[in-house]
Amino acid sequence: LTDDRCEVCGESTKTTAHILLQCEFAACFWEELGMDISSSDTDSVLLRISRPQAMPEKHFSTFILLCCWELWKRRNNVVFRGERATIQETLRACRADVELWKHRLRQEDRWVVAAWCA
């Protein structure tokens, strides 16, 4: 790459925190999920994202990691394939991954997936 500009938003800071939290696309993604990340400026903030009331506490960290994975995959698709998925397309991809992930949860914990997808 010739510079450190984010391929998604064009800003000149390309860090993990930027890609997952500060990029305009990422910020809109989290907002769409009802999560406030506006005061987030470090990578460790992923551990401190406050859980929306409607979201169960159980396996919440797994949900955050799945969302980060979708944002990362979307960025890679922009960089390496020239694709430009919308927020809604990215949310649908996240939902599909969540549906797959529920099979990794214990049977008695799978109810959280329905709450995530709501």
Side-chain angles (χ1 to χ4, degrees):
L1 299 174
T2 58
D3 61 32
D4 69 344
R5 292 194 178 278
C6 173
E7 295 84 355
V8 175
C9 70
E11 293 293 320
S12 63
T13 310
K14 186 168 46 176
T15 63
T16 304
H18 175 81
I19 292 166
L20 296 177
L21 300 165
Q22 300 158 346
C23 177
E24 183 180 343
F25 185 89
C28 290
F29 175 84
W30 293 111
E31 182 179 330
E32 192 71 26
L33 291 172
M35 298 191 202
D36 180 18
I37 50 112
S38 59
S39 62
S40 307
D41 59 359
T42 65
D43 297 342
S44 64
V45 78
L46 294 174
L47 302 173
R48 295 189 312 265
I49 291 178
S50 52
R51 180 182 52 83
Q53 286 286 51
M55 186 78 60
E57 187 173 348
K58 192 164 200 165
H59 301 296
F60 181 66
S61 60
T62 300
F63 178 73
I64 295 297
L65 293 173
L66 286 168
C67 289
C68 290
W69 177 238
E70 280 307 321
L71 286 170
W72 195 265
K73 288 191 326 185
R74 193 239 181 221
R75 178 198 169 273
N76 283 348
N77 286 338
V78 167
V79 173
F80 299 113
R81 296 187 179 132
E83 297 176 5
R84 295 282 176 185
T86 65
I87 294 285
Q88 293 307 314
E89 291 168 332
T90 305
L91 288 169
R92 278 192 292 277
C94 193
R95 173 177 258 165
D97 275 359
V98 163
E99 286 292 334
L100 290 172
W101 186 255
K102 82 176 174 186
H103 299 291
R104 300 286 298 156
L105 298 175
R106 292 177 157 181
Q107 185 72 30
E108 61 268 18
D109 290 347
R110 292 183 183 177
W111 62 270
V112 297
V113 170
W116 292 348
C117 291

